[in-house]
Amino acid sequence: MGRRRNSPVNELFGWIRKQSMKVKIFLGVITAILSLVGLKYSVKDHNHFFVASEAVHAAGIFVLVYKLITKKTCSGLSLKSQELTALFLAVRFYCSFVMEGDIHTVLDFLTLVATVWVIYMIRFKLNSTYIEELDNFPMYYLVIPCAILSIFIHPSTHHNAINRMCWAFSVFLESVSVLPQLRLMQNAKMVEPFTAHYVFALGIARFLGCAHWIIQVIETRGAYLFVRTGVLWIPVVLVSEIVQTFILADFCYYYVKSVMEGQLLVRLPCPV
C-alpha cells in the first residue's frame, strides 16, 4: 500500500493538486496543445475526428446500457441529461438524414436508439433507483436559449432555413446537454464507475470534435472561421465546442486521477 501511495503517478497528481489554479490551467492548456499537435500530424483526414467523436459518444451510451442491464440500477444517472441528449440527437439525425445521409447519420441513429432505451429504463423499469432530488437542473434554462440563438446564428448553406436552424439548435444544445449530469454528480460528490466511464467518453468525444475545428482554423490561418457558411456560424460553433470541452475537463482530471490511483469511485472534492 505504501508503494502505491508513493508511486510516481500519485506524486504527480499530488503535486498538481497543490498548485494554484493558474498553474493548473496552464498545465491543462499545455496538455491540450500537445494533444492537438499530436492529432494534427498523426491523422491525415481531419474529418475523421467527427466520426471518432460520434463513435466514442455511442460507446459511452452503450456503457450505460450495459450498466442498466447488469446492475439493475440507474443511480447516479441524470434523466434530464439523457432527455436533452435524445432531443439534440433526434434533431441532428433528422438534419443529417435530409441534408447529408452518410456515416454520421448511422452513428446518430444508433446513439439515439440507445439513448431512448436508457430513458425508458430510467423512467419506467428502474425508476425506484433514480435519485430525482439530485437531478435538479432546470432543462428550460438550456433548451430555450439554444432555440433562440439558433434562430439568429445558423449556417448559410443552400439548405432549407428551418433545417439550418435545427442543425444549429442541435449543435448548441449538445454543448450544454451534460450540465444536468454534472450537477447531479456535484450534488452526490461521488460518481459510480459506469457513469464515470460514460462522462469521460463524452469528454473525449468533445475534445475530438473541438480538435477538428481548431486544427482547421490553424491550417487556414483563420480563414476557415469565415468560409461560406455565415460570418458568425463557425466562430460560434468553435466557442460551443470549447465550452463543452472546458465543462468536462475538470471531471476528466478527477476521473484519470481516480483510475491511476486504482479507485473504483470518482470522488469530487470540489464542485465540477
Side-chain angles (χ1 to χ4, degrees):
M1 292 294 292
R3 281 190 302 177
R4 189 174 70 176
R5 284 196 298 269
N6 296 323
S7 68
V9 172
N10 288 338
E11 290 181 3
L12 174 62
F13 277 108
W15 178 82
I16 293 174
R17 189 165 53 248
K18 294 176 183 177
Q19 303 308 305
S20 66
M21 184 56 65
K22 289 183 179 180
V23 172
K24 290 178 182 177
I25 293 174
F26 173 76
L27 293 173
V29 170
I30 293 299
T31 302
I33 291 174
L34 292 176
S35 299
L36 285 173
V37 171
L39 288 172
K40 181 179 185 299
Y41 290 104
S42 62
V43 180
K44 299 292 185 180
D45 187 351
H46 298 149
N47 287 321
H48 290 163
F49 289 140
F50 280 141
V51 177
S53 173
E54 291 163 0
V56 171
H57 185 183
I61 290 290
F62 283 107
V63 165
L64 293 188
V65 170
Y66 178 79
K67 170 187 176 175
L68 297 182
I69 291 175
T70 58
K71 303 299 182 181
K72 305 297 182 182
T73 177
C74 62
S75 175
L77 287 181
S78 167
L79 175 61
K80 293 181 178 180
S81 265
Q82 294 305 309
E83 289 175 339
L84 291 173
T85 299
L87 177 57
F88 85 70
L89 282 172
V91 174
R92 193 168 74 184
F93 170 70
Y94 160 76
C95 293
S96 182
F97 183 77
V98 300
M99 297 168 69
E100 296 174 338
D102 52 17
I103 183 61
H104 302 288
T105 310
V106 176
L107 288 171
D108 282 342
F109 176 74
L110 293 175
T111 309
L112 175 59
V113 170
T115 303
V116 170
W117 186 87
V118 169
I119 293 172
Y120 169 77
M121 293 295 289
I122 295 176
R123 276 194 172 276
F124 301 106
K125 296 296 185 180
L126 303 174
N127 185 259
S128 61
T129 63
Y130 170 54
I131 311 175
E132 185 174 1
E133 60 270 19
L134 297 183
D135 195 12
N136 56 11
F137 196 106
M139 291 174 62
Y140 59 86
Y141 281 7
L142 305 176
V143 175
I144 294 177
C146 289
I148 294 174
L149 187 61
S150 66
I151 295 174
F152 298 100
I153 301 178
H154 49 265
S156 301
T157 60
H158 66 278
H159 301 97
N160 180 279
I162 298 298
N163 292 342
R164 288 186 276 122
M165 291 179 190
C166 286
W167 184 268
F169 173 73
S170 70
V171 170
F172 299 145
L173 187 60
E174 181 182 16
S175 68
V176 294
S177 61
V178 74
L179 284 177
Q181 179 66 59
L182 294 179
R183 168 68 71 83
L184 187 154
M185 295 188 304
Q186 177 182 328
N187 292 336
K189 299 298 183 185
M190 189 175 294
V191 189
E192 297 173 356
F194 286 105
T195 304
H197 299 334
Y198 164 68
V199 178
F200 182 71
L202 292 183
I204 297 298
R206 294 290 25 96
F207 177 76
L208 291 171
C210 190
H212 166 83
W213 297 105
I214 293 177
I215 292 174
Q216 292 281 45
V217 171
I218 292 174
E219 289 191 338
T220 61
R221 297 182 180 179
Y224 189 74
L225 288 171
F226 310 104
V227 65
R228 67 184 180 82
T229 53
V231 176
L232 292 177
W233 170 240
I234 291 182
V236 171
V237 170
L238 178 57
V239 170
S240 298
E241 293 282 357
I242 292 174
V243 165
Q244 189 175 13
T245 303
F246 179 78
I247 287 172
L248 289 163
D250 195 44
F251 170 81
C252 289
Y253 163 76
Y254 288 109
Y255 176 88
V256 172
K257 175 179 178 293
S258 297
V259 170
M260 291 298 183
E261 293 178 348
Q263 299 176 3
L264 293 178
L265 299 178
V266 177
R267 289 179 171 80
L268 305 176
C270 62
V272 175

